Structure formats: C-alpha cells, structure tokens
C-alpha cells in the first residue's frame, strides 16, 4: 500500500493492562467439566493479549465484504455514484508522517455523510516505516527497540487524535501501514515488532482496536512468528497484501488459519487499477474484509411527546442518568438487546455511554435493529493456550459447541454470573449468543464484571 500517486507500488508476491492473573491449582476436569478444549493454566498477564480499556461510550464495528482503498479519499459524489458497486467499505488514510496524498475530502462532515450512506470506513495510518524498508525518503522507525516501542505509542496517540477530529468513536480499529522490509535483518525485525507492540498497547489502553497492514511475505510472516511471544503485544487484526487475485481469508502462506481467526482478517488482493461505477472512475486497490473497522455516531431524534430517559444500561431496571426533550438530537453508536418497551426490545447506546429505548427514537425501525447501526460489542483477545471452549450457556455443565483459538477475539456484548472457573464466576456472552469463561478473555478484570459490557 505504498501510495505515492501510485508510482512506488511495491511488489506484494501487536492506563489499563489486563489484571494480573492468579495461579490457580485446580484440576481441569473438576473446574471446566468434560469436553473442554483447554488445560488449566494461568492466562497471560499482559503481552501478548493486552486488555482493552473501552470507555463507556465505546463499541466496536465489524464489516464483512468487499472494500476498496484509494490514496486520496474520494469526493462524496463519487461515493454516491459507487452505490452501484459491490463495495460497501472504503479505506481512508487518517494520518501518519509518511502519508503521501492530500486529503481535502476527509473531514468530519464527509465521515458523517459517507456513514449515513451505509458505508463502513477502514482507517489507515501510515506512520514511521521499517529502518530497513519503505522508501528512501520515508521517516523511519528507530533501530533501537525501546525507542521503536515509544514511537509506536506516539503513533497510536496521534492516530486517535486524528480519528477523533474526524468523528470516529472509541472502539474503532486503526490499521498501521507497515511497508516491505528486509526479512534477514534481525535488528530491523525487532524494531518493527517493538513499534507494533507499542502501537497496540497504547490503542488498547485508550479503548481502541489495533490493526496492522503488512505484505504477506515481507512482514506479516514475522508478525505471525511472534504471535505467542510474551515480549510483544499482539494486534487484534491483520490486513495482508498479496496481489494474487484471490480474496480468500484462509490458507495464507506461513500464517496458520488459527491465528487472527475470529473476524480478524483482511486481504488486499488486487493492486492499483481503475474501476467505474455510476459514471465515476476511481483508481483503487481491492480488498476482502472480515474485520473490525471504524465506529461512528449516527444522528437521530427523540420521537416521544415527553422527555426520554437515558439509562446506564439497556433495560428499564437501570438508573436514569439524564433525559432528553422531545425532538432532541441523539448521537447513537450502536444497538443492544434489552427490556421490551412498546413494540421493541432494542436499545440505542449513545456516544456518552447511556442507553435509550429505540421505541422513541427516529431510527428506520422501532421493532427491530436498524442498519447501518451496528450491534454493541466489545472484542477482547482470548488467552487459553490450547483454545477456549465455547458453550451454550454460562457454565461448564453446558455443551461445548466450538473453540476459539488462542488470540481469537471474543466479541462480547454482555456478561453474567455462572459456574466458577479459577478466580471468576463471570461468563461472557458473545454476539453469536454463545458463552466463554471470562477467565480466559483479556477483559480488564478476571474476578468481576468489566465495563462497559452490560449485564445479561
């Protein structure tokens, strides 16, 4: 993705850390029950699966389908014309010292308008490049690992600031564009891994999701080789470049399908070329995504004739935090299931972290979920070395219906009490309705509930 007016395209042929986990000397059979896919061992305290400190208004957004990216964000007129295309996500360069193209279109207003047209946004940050790679004119990562880690931390803070100015919300995923580098240079390799680790830890600390873009053979393999290393924080999502015309998100050379396995992969499979839709031609790269993207807020209004209560959770049993007058504007981030009000059990989460019943909000439907609003989810990496059992209910007596590999994302939308596993009774209900023990999920606490996920 070396965008320099498409002339230098290279060949395309990781303040809240996870709480310290206690050592629990208990037999696996007694604690986890029959059919579990893991042995009982302490999960990681920090690296590689660092906890994400999602603030109250955060939610992650996921997109599965075709996407494109361009050096310069297209005008809104082009996005409208491309409604006739198979794409519904677009990559945008939000910042970075090595970002090449000017971005006159990329404003908060543009983000709002494109999102309202039901497009998802894939935020790209082109910061420092490997000391043994990139273009000769690129600003480079330090060859000193400690300095490189600090540079990654600074890049994350800058990406967040740039994204906030564009209206992107906490819980968004940002992708650090790391171009090709020499694979035999060990000092360079350690610098890149340290930089990515600093990037990931800072994004997690501040409540965002970490993504990395790399060439499959000239970068991504080394990131994959460090997947379980306790020296580096592991990014949540991997976006590879491999211009082979195949859009599969599995079967990547030297990267096992068990790595970044749960809606954590993207592939740029076709390089710079022109496509035309609605009479508008754009020069694009083509991508297949099944991965976290940007979270934005959508504006709707209060439709009730009296004040609408906003609560601290998605049921009428939660306390009232504030109220909104009729016809007030609301900034809705996501939707969650909750108690039934009128014709619906859907609740709208606002950008301040409070919830209102969707029955009195001007979303397209007041009986069910409304596109383009995503469901409220909070992805955390799993930490069980042998894989984490997925069950039909919140306890070890429930049937095992699958396994999340080590490092996969558990897309949590609520938590509830269940049978005890090591230090906790908390079980995480995922967006597919299945449950995993919170002990093996890198939430901020492994003894009690972790905000902002509501109680089930």
């Amino acid at each position: 993705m070396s965008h320099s007016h498409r002339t230098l395209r290279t060949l395309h042929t990781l303040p809240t850390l996870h709480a310290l986990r206690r050592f629990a000397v208990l037999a696996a059979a007694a604690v986890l029950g029959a059919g579990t896919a893991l042995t009982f061992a302490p999960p990681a305290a920090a690296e590689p699966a660092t906890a994400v400190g999602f603030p109250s208004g955060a939610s992650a957004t996921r997109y599965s389908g075709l996407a494109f990216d361009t050096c310069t964000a297209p005008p809104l007129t082009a996005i409208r014309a491309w409604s006739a295309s198979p794409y519904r996500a677009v990559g945008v360069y939000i910042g970075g010292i090595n970002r090449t193209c000017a971005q006159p279109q990329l404003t908060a207003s543009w983000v709002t308008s494109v999102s309202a047209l039901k497009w998802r946004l894939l935020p790209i940050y082109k910061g420092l490049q490997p000391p043994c790679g990139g273009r000769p004119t690129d600003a480079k990562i330090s060859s000193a690992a400690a300095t490189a880690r600090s540079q990654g931390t600074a890049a994350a803070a800058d990406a967040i600031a740039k994204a906030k100015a564009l209206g992107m919300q906490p819980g968004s995923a940002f992708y650090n564009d790391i171009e090709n580098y020499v694979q035999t240079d060990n000092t360079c390799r350690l610098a890149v891994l340290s930089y990515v680790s600093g990037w990931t830890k800072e994004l997690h600390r501040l409540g965002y999701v970490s993504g990395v873009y790399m060439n499959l053979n000239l970068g991504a393999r080394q990131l994959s080789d460090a997947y379980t290393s306790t020296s580096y924080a592991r990014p949540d999502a991997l976006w590879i470049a491999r211009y082979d015309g195949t859009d599969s998100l599995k079967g990547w050379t030297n990267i096992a399908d068990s790595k970044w396995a749960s809606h954590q992969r993207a592939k740029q499979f076709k390089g710079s070329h022109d496509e035309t839709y609605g009479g508008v031609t754009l020069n694009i790269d083509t991508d297949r995504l099944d991965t976290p993207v940007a979270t934005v807020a959508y504006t709707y209004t209060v439709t009730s004739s009296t004040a609408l209560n906003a609560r601290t959770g998605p049921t009428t049993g939660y306390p009232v935090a504030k109220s909104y007058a009729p016809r007030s504007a609301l900034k809705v981030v996501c939707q969650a299931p909750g108690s039934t009000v009128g014709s619906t059990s859907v609740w709208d989460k606002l950008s301040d972290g409070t919830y209102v019943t969707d029955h009195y909000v001007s979303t397209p439907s007041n009986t069910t979920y409304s596109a383009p609003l995503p469901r409220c989810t909070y992805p955390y990496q799993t930490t069980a070395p042998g894989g984490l059992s997925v069950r039909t209910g919140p306890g070890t007596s429930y049937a095992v219906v699958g396994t999340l590999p080590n490092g996969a994302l558990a897309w949590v939308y609520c938590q509830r009490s269940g049978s005890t596993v090591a230090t906790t009774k908390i079980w995480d209900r995922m967006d597919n309705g299945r449950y995993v023990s919170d002990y093996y999920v890198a939430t901020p606490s492994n003894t009690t509930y972790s905000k902002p996920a509501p109680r089930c």
Side-chain angles (χ1 to χ4, degrees):
M1 195 187 295
S2 180
H3 287 289
S4 178
H5 304 288
R6 308 276 180 185
T7 60
L8 289 176
R9 176 73 59 180
T10 54
L11 290 176
H12 289 69
T13 44
L14 190 141
T16 305
L17 296 176
H18 205 333
L20 182 62
R21 304 289 195 181
R22 295 180 183 177
F23 285 80
V25 185
L26 296 169
V31 178
L32 297 179
T36 185
L38 54 92
T39 56
F40 206 66
E47 288 85 352
T50 56
V52 187
F54 291 118
S56 60
S59 180
T61 302
R62 197 166 73 213
Y63 172 76
S64 180
L66 288 173
F68 73 89
D69 60 274
T70 60
C71 195
T72 299
L76 185 58
T77 53
I79 296 294
R80 289 196 181 101
W82 274 47
S83 64
S85 77
Y87 305 104
R88 284 299 176 270
V90 55
V92 291
Y93 284 85
I94 61 172
I97 191 170
N98 287 314
R99 182 176 70 171
T100 302
C101 295
Q103 302 293 339
Q105 307 295 331
L106 191 54
T107 64
S109 175
W110 185 91
V111 167
T112 297
S113 298
V114 171
S115 298
L117 293 172
K118 300 183 180 181
W119 285 74
R120 301 299 189 198
L121 299 175
L122 184 68
I124 308 162
Y125 185 87
K126 192 171 185 184
L128 298 170
Q129 293 301 304
C132 60
R135 300 168 300 188
T137 56
D138 284 341
K140 300 299 177 72
I141 299 168
S142 171
S143 294
T147 303
R149 193 177 298 267
S150 297
Q151 290 172 329
T153 301
D158 186 51
I160 291 170
K162 298 292 195 301
K164 281 184 174 179
L166 294 171
M168 296 179 186
Q169 303 292 311
S172 293
F174 306 137
Y175 290 79
N176 201 315
D177 179 350
I178 306 290
E179 293 294 323
N180 301 354
Y181 60 96
V182 178
Q183 301 296 283
T184 55
D185 188 326
N186 191 54
T187 298
C188 184
R189 178 183 69 87
L190 296 178
V192 172
L193 291 175
S194 298
Y195 176 82
V196 170
S197 183
W199 160 267
T200 297
K201 289 186 72 171
E202 186 69 357
L203 287 180
H204 283 183
R205 186 180 75 86
L206 297 174
Y208 294 82
V209 179
S210 168
V212 177
Y213 167 95
M214 284 182 165
N215 178 281
L216 175 61
N217 296 323
L218 301 176
R221 178 178 180 176
Q222 294 196 343
L223 191 65
S224 176
D225 288 345
Y227 190 81
T228 58
S229 171
T230 56
S231 297
Y232 307 103
R234 178 173 52 225
D236 303 299
L238 176 61
W239 178 13
I240 67 158
R242 173 69 171 173
Y243 294 169
D244 56 7
T246 301
D247 67 353
S248 177
L249 299 180
K250 293 184 177 181
W252 293 352
T253 303
N254 297 312
I255 300 180
D257 289 344
S258 60
K259 297 180 178 180
W260 295 287
S262 180
H263 309 290
Q264 295 167 271
R265 289 189 171 205
K267 182 180 181 182
Q268 189 178 78
F269 62 92
K270 188 175 182 180
S272 180
H273 66 284
D274 289 345
E275 290 191 24
T276 303
Y277 297 98
V280 175
T281 300
L282 296 175
N283 185 257
I284 67 168
D285 298 325
T286 304
D287 311 277
R288 169 70 65 181
L289 276 56
D290 183 13
T291 191
V293 291
T295 295
V296 299
Y298 300 85
T299 301
Y300 298 100
T301 58
V302 175
T303 61
S304 58
S305 58
T306 58
L308 177 62
N309 289 330
R311 299 178 180 271
T312 58
T315 73
T316 54
Y318 281 93
V320 175
K322 60 176 67 174
S323 61
Y324 290 91
R327 297 179 295 280
S328 295
L330 302 173
K331 294 290 187 180
V332 181
V333 170
C334 60
Q335 295 185 309
S339 60
T340 300
V341 175
S343 58
T344 187
S345 60
V346 175
W347 285 68
D348 300 330
K349 185 177 182 181
L350 309 183
S351 59
D352 64 0
T354 62
Y355 293 80
V356 295
T357 172
D358 188 57
H359 185 66
Y360 295 114
V361 181
S362 66
T363 52
S365 173
N366 72 341
T367 59
T368 187
Y369 296 95
S370 295
L373 287 166
R375 305 289 178 91
C376 300
T377 55
Y378 315 94
Y380 303 95
Q381 293 183 28
T382 60
T383 61
L388 178 58
S389 294
V390 178
R391 298 179 181 269
T392 58
T396 55
S397 62
Y398 287 90
V400 175
V401 290
T403 303
L404 285 178
N406 182 27
L409 290 181
W411 294 81
V412 178
Y413 83 80
C414 65
Q415 296 181 311
R416 62 170 295 178
S417 180
S419 64
T420 300
V421 175
T423 59
T424 188
K425 293 183 177 180
I426 306 305
W427 285 72
D428 300 328
R429 186 173 184 180
M430 298 183 292
D431 60 353
N432 61 5
R434 305 305 191 183
Y435 288 84
V436 290
S437 169
D438 188 59
Y439 182 72
Y440 285 104
V441 180
T443 50
S445 173
N446 76 324
T447 59
T448 188
Y449 296 96
S450 292
K451 295 180 179 179
R455 308 284 177 90
C456 297

